[in-house]
Amino acid sequence: MAAPLTPEVGGTPSGHTTDTSADMRPRPRPSASGASSGEARAPSLPEPARLHTTEWDWVARISRRTSKGGIFWVAAGLRLVLLMYGVWHDAKFVTLPYTDIDYAVFTRGAEHIVAGESPYLCDTYRYPPILAMLMVPNVTAHPVCGKLLFCLADLGVGLLIWALIEHGSKHPHTTAGGSPCYWPAVCTSLWLFNPLTVAISTRGNAEAVVALTVLATLRLLQLQRVAAAGLVYGLAVHLKLYPVIYALPTLINLGQAQWPSGGSAIGLFGIRLCRAQLVFALGAACSLAVATSLGYVAYGWPFLWQTYLFHFVRADHRHNFSPYFYAVYLTADPTAAGVGSTVHIAARLLGIAALVPQAAMVVYIGTRFAHDLPFAWLLQTMVFVMLNKVCTSQYFVWVLCLLPLIVPRSSLALPRAVQLAGVWTAGQALWLQAAYRLESGGEGNYEEVWGCGLVLLGCHAWCVRAIAASHSIG
């Protein structure tokens, strides 16, 4: 099957083997003269960007001395320690628990399933029923079982990052000082030891499960298993709606790639698709349809509303990083004012105003950078989160699982990378202190929270621009 086109994304020094058969580049199209795809020359792609400062040399030295097993054992140990700490913290500080509130919601949904009831009897359960089913051991065995599952998914994301980087390049990556850098170790560590991703999974948030399906889709595309990639992608959309934004660049990418038989097009309702595009689309549609049908048969309308439709009208006027936060607050309960009222009309207009720039940017990025799927998905996700009407901390996990994949092709100097991370962290800290005073202190500082959100928006935009400018495009 056709492999998606993406520039080379990693490298390996001597002593590490690399499987180059899974290079995420398409087979060349046959020439007009009738040459077979095996005889045509592959398009020229640039070498991985050379790190242009010697500050990266110490990173290169560490990466060459670090084993895969050592990294994952340390990461697993870190998560185990935090799981035990979470149990102690929750018992000691009842009013400010370590465990995420969503974890309690998952568990309440599981309690209803164990009782033979619908998880949607829990008013705040707004997830697919499969998450509540996965949390059943919380009820039947021990409350920490779900967190263990999320941590395993977290480690699985790390394994996929390692595989995607290791199998995506033929050339070692060197620093300006000439040191070969083993990028799978570096990039995987950026995920496994990121404080935010570690906290998200050990506190009981399910975002690592979604990230696992997203990266599994990329990995299957890299291995040229398009049908399986479509099936997993449909599951990813079922678990969380946001991966639907990846459909456009993926289909364009598969159209740019080659089917081994020569890339013949297939007509469908007047639209010409190559076989790879059709296989991926049908696989995704089938898995999504099956999962949705099973949920509807089991739980009816509440399943459709809480899992899918609610998120189109969701309005969070408390814990929300969005630049639309204050407008959401002012139109928090439009139904109370009555249909046709000024508040009701403003709420409708806000939904449209938030969607238009977000959709336009996502479509533009998906079309412009479709030849480099990891990069296109990353920029799409960053812009989607940045411009979404609702944005919370766990949304950043959607970005962080893709960010390591583009690091080997970035020309960012280490001080510049640290600067970007520092600016983003400072922007989030500024917002968090204002939001804490709003939620826990009872202050009515909505304007301040909104202003801090706009500052964070500027930090996000700056990071997007810097990442895009430093990326080597094929």
Side-chain angles (χ1 to χ4, degrees), residues 102-164:
D102 288 344
Y103 192 70
V105 175
F106 299 152
T107 303
R108 286 199 295 272
E111 290 171 350
H112 285 295
I113 286 182
V114 170
E117 301 169 342
S118 168
Y120 300 103
L121 291 176
C122 174
D123 292 339
T124 55
Y125 187 85
R126 299 187 177 101
Y127 311 93
I130 189 173
L131 282 179
M133 295 174 185
L134 291 174
M135 296 299 104
V136 166
N138 284 6
V139 181
T140 59
H142 193 280
V144 82
C145 288
K147 292 183 181 180
L148 283 170
L149 177 64
F150 295 154
C151 287
L152 288 175
D154 191 359
L155 295 172
V157 171
L159 287 171
L160 286 171
I161 291 173
W162 189 290
L164 283 161

Side-chain angles (χ1 to χ4, degrees), residues 97-468:
Y98 179 80
T99 300
D100 195 304
I101 186 64
D102 288 344
Y103 192 70
V105 175
F106 299 152
T107 303
R108 286 199 295 272
E111 290 171 350
H112 285 295
I113 286 182
V114 170
E117 301 169 342
S118 168
Y120 300 103
L121 291 176
C122 174
D123 292 339
T124 55
Y125 187 85
R126 299 187 177 101
Y127 311 93
I130 189 173
L131 282 179
M133 295 174 185
L134 291 174
M135 296 299 104
V136 166
N138 284 6
V139 181
T140 59
H142 193 280
V144 82
C145 288
K147 292 183 181 180
L148 283 170
L149 177 64
F150 295 154
C151 287
L152 288 175
D154 191 359
L155 295 172
V157 171
L159 287 171
L160 286 171
I161 291 173
W162 189 290
L164 283 161
I165 298 294
E166 186 174 47
H167 297 165
S169 177
K170 301 176 181 178
H171 305 285
H173 197 148
T174 61
T175 68
S179 302
C181 188
Y182 190 45
W183 279 114
V186 175
C187 297
T188 303
S189 297
L190 290 177
W191 167 266
L192 292 178
F193 300 107
N194 187 301
L196 180 59
T197 59
V198 173
I200 287 290
S201 58
T202 57
R203 293 184 66 222
N205 192 283
E207 295 302 332
V209 177
V210 182
L212 186 68
T213 58
V214 168
L215 291 191
T217 302
L218 267 181
R219 177 61 176 146
L220 288 168
L221 288 171
Q222 186 187 56
L223 294 174
Q224 305 181 30
R225 297 172 61 182
V226 179
L231 292 172
V232 175
Y233 177 71
L235 176 61
V237 175
H238 174 69
L239 290 173
K240 209 83 166 181
L241 285 174
Y242 85 90
V244 74
I245 65 177
Y246 305 145
L248 178 62
T250 303
L251 290 174
I252 292 175
N253 185 286
L254 290 172
Q256 295 169 343
Q258 280 266 301
W259 192 263
S261 62
S264 58
I266 298 174
L268 183 68
F269 304 116
I271 302 173
R272 298 200 49 90
L273 301 172
C274 75
R275 195 179 305 174
Q277 290 172 316
L278 187 61
V279 167
F280 181 84
L282 287 178
C286 286
S287 63
L288 180 59
V290 168
T292 302
S293 299
L294 291 175
Y296 183 76
V297 169
Y299 303 113
W301 172 254
F303 156 74
L304 289 179
W305 173 255
Q306 298 285 45
T307 302
Y308 299 128
L309 303 180
F310 168 80
H311 299 284
F312 289 99
V313 298
R314 178 183 175 186
D316 189 342
H317 64 284
R318 301 290 287 183
H319 194 86
N320 187 359
F321 293 97
S322 173
Y324 302 103
F325 163 79
Y326 195 58
V328 169
Y329 162 66
L330 294 176
T331 58
D333 190 9
T335 57
V339 176
S341 67
T342 302
V343 174
H344 181 266
I345 295 173
R348 291 292 184 90
L349 291 176
L350 173 63
I352 298 173
L355 179 62
V356 171
Q358 183 188 51
M361 288 297 296
V362 165
V363 169
Y364 169 75
I365 292 171
T367 305
R368 171 67 178 82
F369 300 110
H371 63 283
D372 186 347
L373 274 188
F375 184 61
W377 286 17
L378 173 67
L379 285 192
Q380 281 187 307
T381 308
M382 294 183 75
V383 169
F384 181 87
V385 170
M386 183 175 71
L387 298 177
N388 203 36
K389 192 171 68 171
V390 175
C391 177
T392 59
S393 292
Q394 61 259 34
Y395 288 21
F396 300 134
V397 175
W398 307 349
V399 174
L400 294 174
C401 70
L402 294 168
L403 184 61
L405 302 180
I406 62 100
V407 168
R409 294 193 54 81
S410 176
S411 60
L412 277 178
L414 182 57
R416 176 68 164 169
V418 172
Q419 182 187 46
L420 290 174
V423 166
W424 182 85
T425 303
Q428 189 173 26
L430 179 67
W431 184 92
L432 286 171
Q433 60 82 26
Y436 177 80
R437 289 188 284 114
L438 171 66
E439 294 190 59
S440 301
E443 297 183 23
N445 58 332
Y446 289 95
E447 295 89 346
E448 181 186 356
V449 173
W450 179 44
C452 292
L454 293 179
V455 171
L456 184 58
L457 173 66
C459 295
H460 284 168
W462 189 45
C463 290
V464 169
R465 183 182 183 278
I467 290 172

Side-chain angles (χ1 to χ4, degrees), residues 26-71:
R27 298 176 178 86
R29 293 184 181 276
S31 64
S33 61
S36 67
S37 60
E39 297 170 348
R41 295 187 62 180
S44 176
L45 293 177
E47 295 294 318
R50 185 181 178 86
L51 295 176
H52 54 73
T53 55
T54 56
E55 290 92 345
W56 285 100
D57 284 349
W58 66 272
V59 177
R61 288 194 295 270
I62 293 174
S63 73
R64 298 196 311 276
R65 298 173 182 174
T66 305
S67 68
K68 182 177 181 180
I71 289 175

